Amino acid sequence: LHTLPLLAFPVLVTVAALKDLTSFTIPNWISGALLLAFPVAAFAVGLPWGEAAQHAAVGGVALLVGMGLFALNWMGGGDAKLLSASALWLGLEGTLLLPPRFRRRRTGSAPCSRRRGTCSTASLWRPARCSLFRNPGSFEAHAETALTALEGR
């Protein structure tokens, strides 16, 4: 239930895409709703204040870039605002698509747990680093860890 606010981003971006396809406009209320929903979603998932500030800074920079592109007549005003609101949600890592070695590792997302040799939920997407794929006998412990992490969030 606490991850429900995270649905705001994909739903509102989909609405923006459909509206843009049908009328070539993106209403201000969509960008505004994304802007207002971000703090709620950030609080719901426990995003640290420092990272939330970084997301806000990325959104601000994206707004400046979008305003510049709008001034050059390369982008519409709704597109610039949606770019900024999306950058707010995606943050630096999601916006720049940094290579994995430059991404900051989030706390609690170590590739493997040293206690039981199981994987964290973050390493589910990095099979080479996950002990499940190095030691197939650890499947039960891995499944238990993943389920516990999903139930706890």
Side-chain angles (χ1 to χ4, degrees):
L1 187 63
H2 63 278
T3 57
L4 190 60
L6 295 177
L7 289 177
F9 181 71
V11 168
L12 288 170
V13 169
T14 301
V15 169
L18 293 173
K19 188 72 173 154
D20 198 20
L21 277 172
T22 58
S23 67
F24 294 104
T25 60
I26 300 173
N28 290 336
W29 68 265
I30 295 175
S31 299
L34 283 169
L35 181 68
L36 293 174
F38 177 75
V40 175
F43 179 74
V45 299
L47 189 70
W49 288 105
E51 286 192 43
Q54 182 186 45
H55 280 252
V58 169
V61 168
L63 181 61
L64 292 174
V65 169
M67 289 169 57
L69 294 173
F70 175 72
L72 294 171
N73 206 22
W74 291 356
M75 177 183 283
D79 297 314
K81 289 177 272 190
L82 184 63
L83 171 71
S84 175
S86 297
L88 171 70
W89 277 78
L90 297 174
L92 186 63
E93 294 174 2
T95 305
L96 297 180
L97 301 175
L98 296 172
R101 69 174 177 255
F102 295 114
R103 290 188 192 140
R104 196 169 21 121
R105 187 172 300 264
R106 301 205 187 278
T107 57
S109 63
C112 294
S113 168
R114 297 187 192 278
R115 287 184 304 191
R116 297 190 317 185
T118 59
C119 302
S120 68
T121 54
S123 66
L124 291 174
W125 312 116
R126 290 182 237 131
R129 294 183 174 182
C130 182
S131 64
L132 172 65
F133 298 97
R134 291 192 308 251
N135 180 10
S138 68
F139 179 77
E140 292 82 12
H142 175 73
E144 178 185 329
T145 302
L147 287 175
T148 302
L150 292 173
E151 288 172 355
R153 291 186 179 202

